[in-house]
Amino acid sequence: MPINPIACLVAALSTFLVGFIWYNPKVFGTIWMNETGMTEEKAQRGNMLKIFGLTLLFSLLISFMVVPMMVIHQIGAIQLVGGDETNASLIEFLKDKGDAFRSFKHGALHGCMAGLTFVLPVTAINGLFEHKSWKYILVTAGYWVVSLTLMGAIICGWK
């Protein structure tokens, strides 16, 4: 299987780095807090072990189960032969195509497109029904566009 588990782990952890920067008060943190009604006091009352633990779990699910399918095209070829990596036609195909499209740039492209064409619309639909502002929608979706771009780059490019 052409998936690097270390790359998936690093990609999952990268969401924390992006969040640390993205939600910093000097970047979009103040806007996000204003749009959600969050205060420093309310944030400090949260169960940080639960919040960060579940965030890690969900980021691991995304990086191991979702992003590789979007950014590594060889997985699709393996799926076409029912997962049989000993299939002669698959072996020949992979000999010919090898690591085609396995680059940081290609992964970043697909990650970004997933953010723009899936996460942004889902976030916007939820935000509209929840009567959230466009500021909230764009800050939240923007975080995921950047995170998925970085995750895609890491998972696709780090063989």
Side-chain angles (χ1 to χ4, degrees):
M1 199 67 183
I3 297 174
N4 178 343
I6 303 295
C8 290
L9 176 61
V10 170
L13 293 173
S14 74
T15 63
F16 286 92
L17 176 63
V18 173
F20 178 75
I21 295 167
W22 194 264
Y23 290 105
N24 182 293
K26 294 181 181 176
V27 185
F28 297 112
T30 302
I31 295 169
W32 178 81
M33 288 182 80
N34 290 338
E35 298 305 310
T36 60
M38 182 63 69
T39 63
E40 289 291 334
E41 298 77 31
K42 188 176 177 182
Q44 291 175 0
R45 286 194 310 261
N47 181 339
M48 290 302 139
L49 182 61
K50 175 180 154 187
I51 293 168
F52 284 99
L54 288 173
T55 297
L56 178 60
L57 174 66
F58 296 141
S59 294
L60 287 167
L61 285 172
I62 293 167
S63 70
F64 276 92
M65 305 302 293
V66 178
V67 175
M69 307 273 187
M70 295 185 305
V71 302
I72 301 175
H73 299 309
Q74 289 79 355
I75 292 173
I78 294 167
Q79 290 171 334
L80 283 173
V81 296
D84 179 10
E85 294 184 44
T86 63
N87 180 289
S89 61
L90 173 67
I91 292 169
E92 286 304 311
F93 175 79
L94 292 177
K95 279 183 194 175
D96 181 42
K97 300 302 177 196
D99 282 342
F101 303 106
R102 288 294 307 268
S103 68
F104 290 101
K105 182 178 172 181
H106 189 79
L109 172 68
H110 281 277
C112 181
M113 293 308 295
L116 291 173
T117 62
F118 183 72
V119 175
L120 174 61
V122 168
T123 303
I125 290 167
N126 284 350
L128 290 168
F129 278 97
E130 294 169 358
H131 299 207
K132 298 287 187 185
S133 69
W134 278 102
K135 285 182 186 179
Y136 167 83
I137 292 167
L138 293 175
V139 167
T140 303
Y143 162 78
W144 281 108
V145 170
V146 171
S147 291
L148 287 170
T149 299
L150 185 56
M151 291 174 85
I154 293 167
I155 291 169
C156 189
W158 190 356
K159 298 172 201 106

